[in-house]
Amino acid sequence: MYYPEPIAKLIESYSKLPGIGQKTATRLAFYTIGMEDEDVNLFAKNLLSAKRDLKFCSICGNLTDEDPCNICTDESRDRSTIFVVEDSKDVLAIEKIREYNGLYHVLQGTISPMNGVSPDDINVKSLITRLMDSQVEEVIIATNATSEGEATAIYLSRLIKPSGIKVTRLARGLAVGSDIEYADEVTLLKAVENRKEI
């Protein structure tokens, strides 16, 4: 279907976002066109501000507008644990549960030899530096349950354990409310391996 060039370009821009197909991109483009000029200007300003003003924390690698970030500078946080995650979205997910009060380290990716991503391409060196210069007693590895996430977790564990720091991994298994009959073999295996006494 033919659209005027400005609409076509807007649709194309929206369709570059993850999870946005052609139909959703078209709907968003037409919604944007129908917005008040003031709202469109604010939206554009917020996009540019997020792109220009955000940076990675020099300590933990989390996205922030202040360096170091507010988590790293918060003196009330437990400095004996570091929660290692793949990206900043994971920090937000853990913070939502309001049960963890330690520090974080954002890898900004995972090791993936198939895609040419080595340990030198992600935020590993600064983690090792942090462990040498601090009172960390435990590193909690919370990479995703993908082959890349598992490879990264194993690599980090082998790198950290010789220092005497406790290395733990998030438990894997059945989700709350799920049925055993619908779970895949890997999920069931992890659920059995991570079982707890009741």
Side-chain angles (χ1 to χ4, degrees), residues 52-143:
R52 290 178 185 157
D53 299 340
L54 291 175
K55 53 190 156 270
F56 293 114
C57 174
S58 59
I59 297 172
C60 72
N62 194 12
L63 272 176
T64 182
D65 58 344
E66 296 177 14
D67 188 23
C69 72
N70 61 348
I71 293 175
C72 288
T73 57
D74 185 348
E75 292 297 324
S76 70
R77 296 193 80 101
D78 177 7
R79 303 206 169 265
S80 68
T81 60
I82 294 181
F83 210 103
V84 179
V85 296
E86 289 182 20
D87 62 43
S88 295
K89 293 178 292 194
D90 300 330
V91 172
L92 294 174
I94 300 301
E95 285 293 291
K96 280 183 188 175
I97 63 173
R98 298 178 188 272
E99 288 296 320
Y100 177 73
N101 191 40
L103 301 175
Y104 292 93
H105 192 83
V106 181
L107 295 172
Q108 300 163 8
T110 53
I111 299 168
S112 178
M114 298 277 291
N115 296 318
V117 181
S118 75
D120 293 334
D121 298 319
I122 61 175
N123 195 18
V124 173
K125 287 179 185 173
S126 63
L127 172 62
I128 301 309
T129 301
R130 286 178 77 187
L131 297 178
M132 285 189 245
D133 299 337
S134 67
Q135 66 270 20
V136 176
E137 297 171 9
E138 180 182 5
V139 172
I140 305 164
I141 300 176
T143 52

Side-chain angles (χ1 to χ4, degrees), residues 10 12-13 25 35 41 47-48 88 90 137-138 151 158 178:
L10 188 56
E12 183 183 340
S13 294
M35 291 169 59
N41 286 332
L47 276 174
L48 289 170
S88 295
D90 300 330
E137 297 171 9
E138 180 182 5
R158 289 181 180 161
S178 64

